[in-house]
Amino acid sequence: STERASAPSELGGSAVAQPSTPYESPPPGGLRFVTQGRESLLVCESADALLVLDRERADAIRRYEALASALEAGTAQRHHLLFPDRVELTATRRAGLQRHADSLNSLGFECSALGDETFAVRAVPAIAADAPAAFVLMATLDALEASGADASESREQALRAVSNASATANGEALEADAARAIVAAISLEQPEHQDCVLGRIPWRSAGRGGGGG
């Protein structure tokens, strides 16, 4: 059965205070998610400021570091597609696919030919599981082709291509828990993470912590 809520008059004329969610301070050097804006901005707070992040850029940073760490530790996983994604490749890209087959496989890609120009993308790096597989493959292949012969530079560009192509695009809907996960991965102590910061308002300017008159 459903219980009827007691009205203030039934409780001696005073309303019962509802428990509020305890405030959680941002972690040391980290950020606490506050809200999203226009499906492209992440509003969050640090210990001393209110910040606005570019959501897509922040997500790309999160994915890059997750993939780089997994590859370094030898724990990178691939996501096998239930329904392979088809892609048409030009002769130039087909040659590139063959040339960079080992690099693509090490990242987590699996693809096979269905015809002279049609290929099936059967697996992608696990961090790109929620992104269009063919799009991520093409972006990564193009990055490998443009990176030249230096193996270290080639790998770096491929990692960034996977991360940038799979990041949740600005303008797309994103659940609050997913937004929190992005914010949790950003640390202002790492200089490269500053790239996603669009604005910063110190708490003193925002009105927090001000002294009395």
Side-chain angles (χ1 to χ4, degrees), residues 56 60 67 85 87-89 93 96-97 100 103-104 107 109 111 121 124-125 128 131-148 153-167:
E56 184 173 348
L67 180 56
D85 202 359
V87 59
E88 302 288 329
L89 298 180
R93 279 186 165 141
L97 185 65
H100 300 292
S103 295
L104 291 168
L107 289 169
F109 290 100
C111 55
V121 185
V124 296
F135 177 71
V136 178
L137 172 68
M138 298 273 276
T140 308
L141 180 57
D142 289 348
L144 287 168
E145 284 286 271
S147 60
E153 176 65 18
S154 179
R155 183 182 178 84
E156 174 69 13
Q157 292 305 314
L159 287 174
R160 296 196 179 280
V162 172
S163 305
N164 292 337
S166 62

Side-chain angles (χ1 to χ4, degrees), residues 29-113:
L31 302 172
R32 186 182 77 87
F33 172 72
V34 177
T35 189
Q36 296 188 73
R38 298 182 180 274
E39 296 185 336
S40 62
L41 305 174
L42 296 173
V43 180
C44 50
E45 64 172 330
S46 66
D48 61 357
L50 185 70
L51 297 100
V52 177
L53 310 182
D54 180 301
R55 192 185 70 183
E56 184 173 348
R57 179 60 189 143
D59 192 25
I61 290 172
R62 177 184 70 91
R63 292 172 189 254
Y64 169 85
E65 296 199 342
L67 180 56
S69 297
L71 289 172
E72 183 69 22
T75 58
Q77 298 183 0
R78 68 185 74 213
H79 171 74
H80 292 273
L81 279 68
L82 182 61
F83 301 103
D85 202 359
R86 295 191 176 199
V87 59
E88 302 288 329
L89 298 180
T90 63
T92 299
R93 279 186 165 141
R94 293 198 299 274
L97 185 65
Q98 183 175 7
R99 186 162 43 248
H100 300 292
D102 289 343
S103 295
L104 291 168
N105 183 66
S106 69
L107 289 169
F109 290 100
E110 286 183 11
C111 55
S112 59

